[in-house]
Amino acid sequence: MTYRVTILPRNITLTVEAHETILEAAHRQGFNFPYGCDAGSCYVCAGSLESGTLKIKTNNEQVHAGDGDDSNTDDVLFCLAQPLTDCSIFIEGVLAPGEHPMINASCQVTNITPMGNDTIEVELRLPAGKKIDFHPGQYLQVILDEETECAFSIGSIPNKERTLQLYVGFSDKDERSRRLRAAFTTGNVVTISLPHGNCYLKNLESTAPLFLVAGSTGISQIKSIAEQCIREQNDTTAAQRQIFIYWGTRTTSELFLNDFFLNMTKSNNNIHYTPVVAEPDATWKGRTGFVHKAMLDDHDISDDAEIVLCGSPGMAYAVLDDFLATGIKEQQVQSDVFDYAPRNN
Ligand code: FES
């Protein structure tokens, strides 16, 4: 018998066998889970039970969430707790296997490059001497003040120069945008937190087809993931996988990384790039319409294909619905949107 334990606030899922404590299951599966004594003395592993029922193995006491006795559920020691049902628990500091710890860092703005259409490329340099890592596809938050944070996909991969690239679109009608434009000035220092997000490639050895679909500045996340795939296949014996990049924008002038991706396809014959413009000007000779429809027109999507979707919540859910209608399975599609803007909210 196994139980599913959801660990909040990160919303990480752990599978626990009936005879195991939550801490034992976490360690068996490679999670980083806070603990000290593993014997009920130090309280390092303490957290709360939010739903479900647990048993405390030393005295067989049952702890039920929602039975009105908060003292019982607020201070559960997970080194002693065995689930009796599926549960959700709350404990800070848990990392799933392969996850990097989240940190705050002060970074220098080392370069700003205008990309046209009120979009800039921002280069930030991370501080030396601090271990900071992320998975390509993850995002960071720029902290403007205690109440204002702005999320940006990281458009680069980890590198020894400790630099990060962001692609930032501005609207001067928006106060937050004006503040960001002022913060992103060469030489300034900005505070960021990273890494965030769970939308990255979990199996870098997969040879299944990979579809990277972006709307507008969502291309930043796609750039990072595609660069990671190229680095893997160049630096290791990782097999090449076929990678199909589809980028949809409203106008032709918004394709600010068009040349970058065209060059990427020239030097990597497993990378295929298709820009799709919704409202093209008379000079555009490429694809038009909806980006995901172009992808569906071009390919029969196999059951093992992996799809990463980057864009606004409206775009991501509309595309997901169209994908599901063609027989693509939900678990083939990942997007940050599914975590930060769940559809039932
Ligand atoms: S690890 Fe020490 S009380 Fe649980």
Side-chain angles (χ1 to χ4, degrees), residues 181-209:
R181 198 191 277 270
F184 288 142
T185 302
T186 305
N188 269 6
V189 171
V190 294
T191 304
I192 62 171
S193 67
L194 81 165
H196 297 272
N198 194 32
C199 182
Y200 55 85
L201 301 183
K202 311 296 186 300
N203 178 8
L204 290 173
E205 289 170 7
S206 172
T207 55

Side-chain angles (χ1 to χ4, degrees), residues 200-203 206 208-212 241 301-302 304-308 332-334:
Y200 55 85
L201 301 183
K202 311 296 186 300
N203 178 8
S206 172
L210 174 63
F211 292 88
L212 302 173
R241 67 191 305 192
I301 310 298
S302 57
D304 64 343
E306 196 176 346
I307 302 172
V308 178
Q332 290 180 260
V333 187
Q334 61 171 325

Side-chain angles (χ1 to χ4, degrees), residues 23 34-46 77-80:
L23 180 66
Y35 82 109
C37 64
D38 196 10
S41 308
C42 70
Y43 277 67
V44 172
C45 68
L77 302 180
F78 295 120
C79 66
L80 304 180

Side-chain angles (χ1 to χ4, degrees), residues 9-132:
R10 306 270 335 283
N11 213 14
I12 301 169
T13 303
L14 176 68
T15 306
V16 185
E17 303 285 341
H19 62 274
E20 282 181 310
T21 65
I22 289 173
L23 180 66
E24 285 166 344
H27 285 172
R28 175 175 58 77
Q29 289 164 69
F31 284 68
N32 194 329
F33 197 103
Y35 82 109
C37 64
D38 196 10
S41 308
C42 70
Y43 277 67
V44 172
C45 68
S48 60
L49 176 66
E50 302 295 313
S51 69
T53 302
L54 298 170
K55 181 180 83 173
I56 305 304
K57 74 170 186 182
T58 44
N59 60 9
N60 285 333
E61 178 197 353
Q62 289 196 7
V63 182
H64 303 278
D67 66 0
D69 183 0
D70 286 349
S71 60
N72 213 15
T73 55
D74 274 358
D75 234 353
V76 178
L77 302 180
F78 295 120
C79 66
L80 304 180
Q82 298 171 323
L84 296 175
T85 65
D86 288 349
C87 298
S88 60
I89 64 173
F90 186 101
I91 177 169
E92 301 272 9
V94 177
L95 295 174
E99 268 195 299
H100 301 301
M102 207 254 290
I103 55 121
N104 284 12
S106 297
C107 299
Q108 189 167 37
V109 180
T110 45
N111 202 23
I112 298 289
T113 308
M115 306 296 284
N117 259 33
D118 257 349
T119 301
I120 57 170
E121 180 186 270
V122 180
E123 183 186 82
L124 301 176
R125 176 159 292 131
L126 291 162
K130 200 165 184 177
K131 173 119 179 77
I132 300 170

